[in-house]
Amino acid sequence: MSVFEACPARAPLGRRVITSLAALSGAGVLIAICGVTPAHAASSTGVATTTVNIRTGASTSATVVGRLVRGQKITVNGHATGDWVKVRFRGTTAYMDGEYLDRVGARPAAPKRIPAGGTKIATEELNVRTGPSTRYRIASELAEGSAITLTGRFSGGYAQFRQGTATRWVSAAYLAEAVGSASPSRPVPVSISNPVSSSHRGQVALAFARAQLGEPYVFGATGPDRWDCSGLSQAAWRAAGVSIPRTTYTQFKVGKRVARADLQLGDLVFFYGSNPSHVGLYAGDGLIINAPRPGKTVSYSKISSMPYAGAVRPG
């Protein structure tokens, strides 16, 4: 008989009590069922039977904001219309075609690996472990709706990501793919419990910026789900524990000036003259992550696509 971690880090209202163990008929599997409050009593776990989209409305014409692969799980909060059901995604209500979600016990096996590209969204509150199984210590927790970027490593149904200076693991069964810029709410940055060393601050800042990929550009915006270029760079470095000014021009004057040949991940790269008007975060391989201009979203751009003005390392 096999046992897998199907229970999120805590039940609603922060309760960690496991109230029952239910055996799946004929499957030889035990699943831990977390305690629920009356408000969540009607909720159930839906398991994707194939690759299926998460949408903003109960229609195939509604915007796709996320995606599950076979064996991944999400909380179903009730019926919508026809085959459509309401699900909880990024802390609010979204919709999925219930025809592709098992809720009666067939339970397709959790995926051993998932696509490593893009941003992943936790569909439940999850245990963050120091290694890829329940034998490893719980290091922290990941709130439902949190956004993370995977390293590409998988083991035993667990996916690896970077949390501060450490690599951590979470169950791949609860990591939906984030799709597009129209999302129910902001990606929630991973919380960092310990101070970030100076050698890793740029990596943390870049990880924050990656979590905003697909969010729309809005002039003057500083988040949480829309950005201009310097609003994004300021928030990214704040996530790494470094305070920098608000505007591109003033950000250009802080920190350590860095030669183009010496760029490191997270360094701020500036464009358009000695009084630069645009900034992005260095992402490696001649690329930056930036909020480009109205009508665009946070995305990768080539450094060579704009007139290079210089770079600084804030912390």
Side-chain angles (χ1 to χ4, degrees):
M1 179 176 293
S2 59
V3 179
F4 62 87
E5 190 174 26
C7 189
R10 62 178 110 174
L13 300 182
R15 294 168 53 206
R16 299 175 181 271
V17 179
I18 296 177
T19 60
S20 65
L21 288 176
L24 291 182
S25 175
V29 177
L30 286 178
I31 300 179
I33 308 296
C34 287
V36 296
T37 64
H40 290 77
S43 299
S44 62
T45 298
V47 186
T49 60
T50 186
T51 300
V52 57
N53 290 325
I54 305 168
R55 297 180 181 269
T56 56
S59 166
T60 54
S61 62
T63 301
V64 176
V65 292
R67 185 174 294 120
L68 301 181
V69 299
R70 178 180 171 84
Q72 287 190 308
K73 302 171 176 64
I74 196 166
T75 297
V76 179
N77 286 332
H79 179 258
T81 181
D83 289 328
W84 292 86
V85 295
K86 299 176 183 178
V87 298
R88 187 173 70 239
F89 185 63
R90 284 183 160 176
T92 191
T93 297
Y95 299 84
M96 297 183 70
D97 189 337
E99 184 178 0
Y100 304 108
L101 289 176
D102 173 74
R103 289 181 286 156
V104 298
R107 304 290 183 192
K112 294 298 183 183
R113 62 184 298 116
I114 58 177
T119 301
K120 309 301 177 187
I121 306 298
T123 59
E124 290 286 356
E125 190 171 68
L126 301 178
N127 290 327
V128 176
R129 296 187 179 272
T130 57
S133 82
T134 56
R135 296 191 303 271
Y136 289 87
R137 178 176 61 86
I138 297 174
S140 61
E141 297 162 1
L142 198 63
E144 186 274 326
S146 295
I148 61 174
T149 301
L150 305 184
T151 66
R153 291 190 62 194
F154 296 88
S155 179
Y158 282 73
Q160 187 189 70
F161 72 105
R162 184 169 291 280
Q163 187 176 43
T165 61
T167 53
R168 299 299 190 211
W169 299 80
V170 290
S171 172
Y174 298 92
L175 296 178
E177 178 186 0
V179 178
S181 60
S183 57
S185 64
R186 72 171 292 195
V188 183
V190 176
S191 61
I192 301 169
S193 56
N194 298 314
V196 182
S197 67
S198 59
S199 61
H200 289 88
R201 287 173 185 157
Q203 297 175 36
V204 174
L206 181 63
F208 180 96
R210 284 197 187 107
Q212 318 313 313
L213 287 168
E215 299 288 355
Y217 176 99
V218 175
F219 178 76
T222 57
D225 55 1
R226 57 196 65 199
W227 309 90
D228 68 9
C229 65
S230 56
L232 176 63
S233 56
Q234 182 187 47
W237 273 92
R238 184 190 303 124
V242 179
S243 177
I244 62 175
R246 168 67 182 92
T247 65
T248 302
Y249 174 66
T250 53
Q251 289 176 9
F252 189 53
K253 297 180 178 180
V254 302
K256 175 185 176 182
R257 195 59 62 91
V258 179
R260 185 167 180 172
D262 297 327
L263 286 171
Q264 295 181 10
L265 297 180
D267 285 349
L268 298 184
V269 183
F270 297 85
F271 302 90
Y272 299 106
S274 58
N275 295 321
S277 58
H278 188 66
V279 62
L281 288 90
Y282 183 61
D285 298 323
L287 299 173
I288 60 168
I289 293 177
N290 65 147
R293 60 184 183 276
K296 299 294 184 178
T297 62
V298 176
S299 57
Y300 290 96
S301 297
K302 293 181 178 180
I303 291 178
S304 59
S305 67
M306 294 172 282
Y308 181 84
V312 301
R313 187 169 301 146

